[in-house]
Amino acid sequence: MVLKIYGFPISICTKRVALVCREKNIPYELVTVDMMTGAHKGEAYTKVQPFGQVPYIDDDGFIVYESRAISRYLTKKYASQGTQELIPTGLKEEALFEQAASIELTNFDPIGNGIADENIFKRLRGEEPDQKRVSELVTLLEAKLNAYDSILAKQKYLAGSQVTLADLFHLPFGHMFGSMGIDALEKQPNVARWWKDISSRESWAAVKDGVA
Ligand SMILES: N[C@@H](CCC(=O)N[C@@H](CS)C(=O)NCC(=O)O)C(=O)O
C-alpha cells in the first residue's frame, strides 16, 4: 500500500515529510486534513494524533507522527534508495548528525514557530501580529545564524561534508522567512552559500509551494 501522509499542503511539517519522501524516492499519497475547518482537532483525527497536529503517516497500518521522527523512520526504512546517508551510519558521524539535528530543533525551530505564530496564526485568529516580538525574534535568529556561519566556515553542511536530514529540516521555516521578507539566511557568507545549496534541491522545489 502506498505511504499515506495525513497533512495539509502548506503546512511546514507536512512539507518536511514530503521533502524527505522525494529525497528517498518514496511514492506517497497526501490525504488532506483540512486545517481551515479544524479537521485536525476533530475526534476522528485526535484518536490517531492526540495533539491534533499534522502530519502523521500511515505506512501499511503503522502510524507515526512528529515530522522529524517520520523522517528518520523513512530514511532508515529506505536506506538503500534515493539520497544516501541522510542519517550517517558511522558512530561518530551519527553523533555529529544528532548534534546538528539538535541545533535545528532547539535553536532554529522555536524561532520559526514564534514568527509563524505572529505573522500567520494570529492573523488567522483575527489578531494583529506583534511586530516588536517579530523583530526580537529576527534579531535572535541573526544571532543564532552567527554560530551557524562559524560552523559552515569549516564544513559544507551542518553535520560535515555530506547533506543530512539536519540540513533539510531547515527548509520549510527558512523558506517561510524569505517569503516574509526576512533575509537573515542571506546575510552571512557561509550561511548564504549553504542556504542556496540546500534550497536549490529538486526535492524542495517539488514541495515548497505546497504538497500535492
Ligand atoms: N512537532 C510536530 C509539530 C507539528 C505541528 O505543529 N504541525 C502544525 C502544522 S505545521 C499543526 O498541526 N498545528 C496545529 C496545532 O498545533 O494546533 C512535528 O514536527 O510534526
Side-chain angles (χ1 to χ4, degrees):
M1 194 178 79
V2 70
L3 178 76
K4 288 198 173 110
I5 304 176
Y6 286 75
F8 191 62
I10 58 168
S11 113
I12 291 284
C13 304
T14 304
K15 287 183 187 180
R16 186 174 291 124
V17 168
L19 155 72
V20 172
C21 287
R22 299 262 172 183
E23 287 284 344
K24 298 299 291 172
N25 298 332
I26 306 165
Y28 64 86
E29 176 193 335
L30 176 72
V31 181
T32 299
V33 179
D34 190 354
M35 296 184 81
M36 302 315 283
T37 59
H40 56 306
K41 299 296 177 192
E43 207 187 321
Y45 189 85
T46 56
K47 254 192 211 160
V48 184
Q49 211 293 4
F51 298 93
Q53 295 177 325
V54 297
Y56 73 81
I57 57 162
D58 179 342
D59 184 23
D60 214 4
F62 178 61
I63 305 290
V64 192
Y65 49 83
E66 287 294 329
S67 59
R68 295 168 185 80
I70 297 169
S71 300
R72 283 172 166 83
Y73 165 73
L74 293 174
T75 297
K76 289 183 179 181
K77 177 168 177 181
Y78 295 98
S80 62
Q81 69 188 57
T83 310
Q84 295 296 293
E85 296 281 301
L86 284 177
I87 301 175
T89 43
L91 177 67
K92 290 183 178 168
E93 290 80 3
E94 188 172 349
L96 293 177
F97 158 73
E98 287 299 350
Q99 171 181 275
S102 192
I103 289 169
E104 184 274 332
L105 187 64
T106 57
N107 289 288
F108 191 83
D109 187 69
I111 301 175
N113 275 311
I115 294 176
D117 193 44
E118 290 298 335
N119 278 346
I120 301 172
F121 298 113
K122 272 196 175 175
R123 284 187 209 279
L124 289 174
R125 294 195 296 267
E127 297 168 30
E128 273 304 303
D130 176 348
Q131 290 308 342
K132 185 167 169 281
R133 176 82 184 124
V134 173
S135 58
E136 283 166 3
L137 287 165
V138 172
T139 302
L140 183 59
L141 175 65
E142 288 176 351
K144 298 287 188 187
L145 291 175
N146 282 336
Y148 276 62
D149 205 64
S150 68
I151 297 169
L152 293 166
K154 297 188 207 117
Q155 58 198 45
K156 195 167 176 198
Y157 297 104
L158 285 176
S161 58
Q162 306 263 16
V163 71
T164 67
L165 289 182
D167 303 291
L168 302 180
F169 286 166
H170 290 78
L171 283 163
F173 272 139
H175 178 72
M176 182 196 80
F177 295 148
S179 69
M180 291 173 175
I182 299 167
D183 63 356
L185 287 158
E186 281 152 35
K187 284 190 166 170
Q188 302 183 62
N190 301 296
V191 171
R193 185 261 308 146
W194 166 76
W195 179 249
K196 192 170 174 211
D197 175 324
I198 61 172
S199 61
S200 324
R201 295 180 76 83
E202 261 177 49
S203 58
W204 179 239
V207 303
K208 69 184 167 83
D209 296 322
V211 179

